[in-house]
Amino acid sequence: MILALATALLAAQNPAGPKPEDTEVWSPKVPVVTPGAYTPAPPPSDAIVLFDGKDLSQWATVHDGSPARWKVHDGIITVDKSSGNIQTRRSFGSYQLHLEWRIPADITGEGQARGNSGLFLASTGDGDAGYELQIMDSYHNETYVNGQVGAVYKQTAPLANPARKPGEWQSYDVVWNAPIFGADGTVTRPATVTALMNGVLVQDHTVLKGPTLYIGQPHYAPHGREPIKLQAHGDKSAPISFRNIWVRELP
């Protein structure tokens, strides 16, 4: 997602062009589901551990490739909004991913400006380029349904809203099937994602229309294996934290 300032500048330059709200969907509302208790488990034996609670050696800053500068403390990572997005040093095709995050207990703001971040299943370029599975505080916090937690951002609303209250750890378990392109650049298999949040299915083999966009309609451009990206969103709320991140590559 792009910062409000960039949006305002774009609107001023092209007042008749696409606007962010053009792709917002507000209804029907997503049903709220209370998730069951969760106990963290160790990664499987064949997993690539992307964060083990010790360091960010598997991650780099997106805009310049330098070592990731988010804050590692007490076995977790806390977003450093001033240093921008981070992404894995390795690139991936299709995979199974586990990730946990926590919204600060004292989070402030509302809508998209409340605990906002994102899991980019494939980072196709600088900034927020790629395919985003939304992360934000959707516990008693309304926004457009295709932009709340569990959404394929601006494409597909989640099947349920199993958000825990701020201060509690939450989890994603994701199966990502990367898109496949022919020699001429056409899509021979679109990307799909299946995702469980806090053990509740929120995306069921969802077919993506292309990378996720803040403004405009998605469309594919050919690419290969790509890094996994985490977003340092520019909203003014307190930064969120992550832990226990691992991935299993799939054929």
Side-chain angles (χ1 to χ4, degrees):
M1 287 169 281
I2 303 169
L3 299 180
L5 177 58
T7 305
L9 290 173
L10 181 61
Q13 294 167 1
N14 186 16
K19 299 177 175 60
E21 55 269 25
D22 293 343
T23 49
E24 294 175 3
V25 176
W26 288 82
S27 64
K29 298 298 183 184
V30 175
V32 173
V33 174
T34 301
Y38 172 70
T39 302
S45 61
D46 63 347
I48 299 168
V49 177
L50 298 177
F51 178 66
D52 62 2
K54 298 177 181 178
D55 60 54
L56 286 170
S57 58
Q58 297 285 335
W59 300 82
T61 301
V62 170
H63 71 86
D64 62 7
S66 64
R69 296 187 293 276
W70 290 11
K71 300 167 185 176
V72 177
H73 59 98
D74 304 315
I76 67 175
I77 312 165
T78 297
V79 176
D80 178 356
K81 296 190 180 188
S82 67
S83 66
N85 299 345
I86 64 172
Q87 66 186 18
T88 56
R89 293 189 177 277
R90 304 188 196 202
S91 294
F92 299 94
S94 299
Y95 57 77
Q96 173 190 349
L97 174 75
H98 177 85
L99 173 147
E100 298 168 20
W101 80 93
R102 183 177 65 190
I103 306 291
D106 59 351
I107 195 71
T108 59
E110 60 184 20
Q112 293 287 309
R114 185 178 173 90
N116 202 322
S117 184
L119 166 62
F120 284 79
L121 303 166
S123 171
T124 58
D126 203 359
D128 295 338
Y131 306 80
E132 183 185 7
L133 186 63
Q134 175 70 299
I135 295 174
M136 63 170 292
D137 180 27
S138 290
Y139 185 82
H140 297 170
N141 178 40
E142 290 208 6
T143 186
Y144 41 95
V145 296
N146 62 345
Q148 71 178 69
V149 72
V152 175
Y153 184 68
K154 287 289 188 82
Q155 291 192 34
T156 307
L159 297 171
N161 176 8
R164 301 186 192 277
K165 66 177 62 175
E168 297 183 10
W169 284 99
Q170 324 220 35
S171 64
Y172 269 148
D173 287 284
V174 177
V175 176
W176 167 249
N177 286 297
I180 297 176
F181 301 91
D184 60 355
T186 59
V187 179
T188 60
R189 186 187 76 180
T192 63
V193 60
T194 297
L196 288 87
M197 177 182 164
N198 298 331
V200 177
L201 186 67
V202 292
Q203 297 290 338
D204 186 8
H205 200 71
T206 299
V207 178
L208 279 74
K209 301 173 184 177
T212 51
L213 299 175
Y214 180 48
I215 297 175
Q217 297 298 325
H219 59 277
Y220 281 102
H223 63 82
R225 294 167 64 88
E226 301 290 356
I228 296 166
K229 179 163 58 184
L230 298 178
Q231 186 186 48
H233 192 268
D235 71 278
K236 294 181 180 180
S237 66
I240 76 170
S241 299
F242 295 93
R243 71 178 185 188
N244 197 16
I245 308 172
W246 54 260
V247 64
R248 296 180 62 250
E249 296 191 88
L250 301 176

